[in-house]
Amino acid sequence: MEKQNAAAILLLKQATTLNIHTGNLVNWSRLKKKCPSSTSEELQGCIRETLSEWCTKIAPAQEKEAPSTLECSLTQTTDAIIPEEREELKVSVKLFLSGSDPSSIRIAVDLACSTLGVSQLDSVIIVSPPLPEGVSLTLEHLQPHWEELESLLQSHKIAAIGTSDLDKPLLEQLYMWAQVKPSSNQVNLASCCVMPPDLTAFAKEYDIQLLTHNDSKELITETSFQESVSEGVKDAVVVDWSLEWVLRYSVIVKSRGIIKSKGYLVQAKRIIS
């Protein structure tokens, strides 16, 4: 075990990209033992457990290979969709961005498609990167990310695109500017127990579906991410790893409304000084 952990530390030290896939959480017996109190706690636990188990499967010979991209996944819990079932299933994604590079959206969508074995995601809801304290989200912040989503929709990688936590003025600005209109907007009921009447009226007039969620404003901080990595790979140097994005997916059986699979994909980059 010590040799495997040492190999994992070396691989992390030499890689520049880290991809983490939790696999299907529906099959995770360890999550049933202790129910997470929040989605943030769930994600941190998933990162920790996935990396911990990944460490046990590393062969010492891998130390010499030094891949630039590390793929850390629990293959036995991964549930790729077989083509015969695709029409019966809805694949929904919520993408939490940490960096400002719009191209990361395409990377995340492509990785989700390849992981789940599909050519198109049914819906993608985007969460803008955290802003400095005192800075409010504006249309200018949203535009480059929305243009990337529009491009993915036009190339048939996504069927519908939506937003999260936009108030009525900002949702209206985005709707009037966008070529492809948002089909949905998520509202956090923890900060708003009743849907704002102006938002409800606007959404009804322009046929935008209002959904609710209970995610934290920032799903996972850089510090929490680094802590989860260091707990999964003991004694690993984590300060130079920066979170790029977190993608949460769910696969729902349309006719029964039940979740067939759900999980997280996470990407981080190592900052080379």
Side-chain angles (χ1 to χ4, degrees):
M1 183 63 191
E2 284 185 13
K3 285 185 178 180
Q4 289 166 322
N5 195 75
I9 291 172
L10 186 59
L11 287 171
L12 270 176
K13 195 179 291 185
Q14 295 174 321
T16 53
T17 301
L18 174 64
N19 291 333
I20 301 170
H21 178 211
T22 63
N24 184 2
L25 300 186
V26 173
N27 297 336
W28 269 45
S29 58
R30 73 200 75 190
L31 282 182
K32 294 171 187 173
K33 294 175 187 173
K34 183 189 176 186
C35 187
S37 62
S38 66
T39 50
S40 295
E41 186 180 304
E42 177 185 69
L43 175 58
Q44 289 169 47
C46 286
I47 292 170
R48 181 175 62 248
E49 295 288 345
T50 300
L51 288 174
S52 179
E53 194 154 330
W54 168 73
C55 283
T56 67
K57 293 177 169 49
I58 296 175
Q62 281 184 265
E63 294 178 44
K64 298 174 185 177
E65 295 173 20
S68 60
T69 299
L70 284 184
E71 302 287 349
C72 306
S73 63
L74 304 183
T75 50
Q76 75 275 18
T77 55
T78 301
D79 226 357
I81 297 168
I82 59 174
E84 293 77 13
E85 290 184 340
R86 182 63 183 97
E87 287 300 311
E88 304 166 14
L89 304 172
K90 180 180 180 182
V91 183
S92 300
V93 158
K94 187 170 183 180
L95 179 58
F96 303 82
L97 297 172
S98 293
S100 57
D101 185 0
S103 67
S104 62
I105 298 171
R106 184 174 295 272
I107 293 168
V109 167
D110 284 343
L111 194 57
C113 286
S114 62
T115 299
L116 297 173
V118 298
S119 60
Q120 184 185 63
L121 304 176
D122 293 299
S123 71
V124 173
I125 287 173
I126 194 167
V127 181
S128 296
L131 294 169
E133 196 170 340
V135 178
S136 298
L137 186 67
T138 66
L139 180 61
E140 286 69 33
H141 291 122
L142 289 171
Q143 284 171 329
H145 300 118
W146 197 258
E147 285 173 339
E148 190 69 26
L149 284 176
E150 289 179 329
S151 174
L152 287 164
L153 189 140
Q154 286 155 3
S155 62
H156 306 290
K157 295 289 285 189
I158 304 172
I161 51 182
T163 56
S164 182
D165 297 315
L166 299 193
D167 58 16
K168 187 263 180 181
L170 190 49
L171 182 60
E172 182 176 14
Q173 287 176 38
L174 176 64
Y175 188 93
M176 297 308 172
W177 167 82
Q179 289 185 28
V180 180
K181 310 302 183 185
S183 62
S184 62
N185 180 48
Q186 283 193 337
V187 179
N188 191 332
L189 287 186
S191 58
C192 166
C193 55
V194 178
M195 289 282 187
D198 61 341
L199 180 62
T200 303
F202 179 79
K204 185 176 180 181
E205 182 178 356
Y206 291 96
D207 196 26
I208 300 171
Q209 187 179 15
L210 291 182
L211 308 168
T212 59
H213 75 94
N214 60 354
D215 295 317
S216 306
K217 191 169 184 182
E218 188 174 4
L219 192 61
I220 185 169
T221 64
E222 188 98 318
T223 302
S224 296
F225 169 72
Q226 291 173 348
E227 286 174 356
S228 299
V229 173
S230 66
E231 288 167 1
V233 183
K234 305 296 183 189
D235 301 322
V237 176
V238 295
V239 291
D240 51 354
W241 282 99
S242 179
L243 188 65
E244 290 287 298
W245 48 261
V246 174
L247 182 148
R248 185 176 65 219
Y249 66 84
S250 61
V251 180
I252 298 169
V253 181
K254 293 177 185 175
S255 59
R256 293 155 61 195
I258 61 168
I259 297 175
K260 178 180 171 65
S261 66
K262 64 177 182 176
Y264 292 97
L265 295 170
V266 180
Q267 185 171 92
K269 298 277 189 183
R270 189 163 65 84
I271 302 166
I272 302 172
S273 55

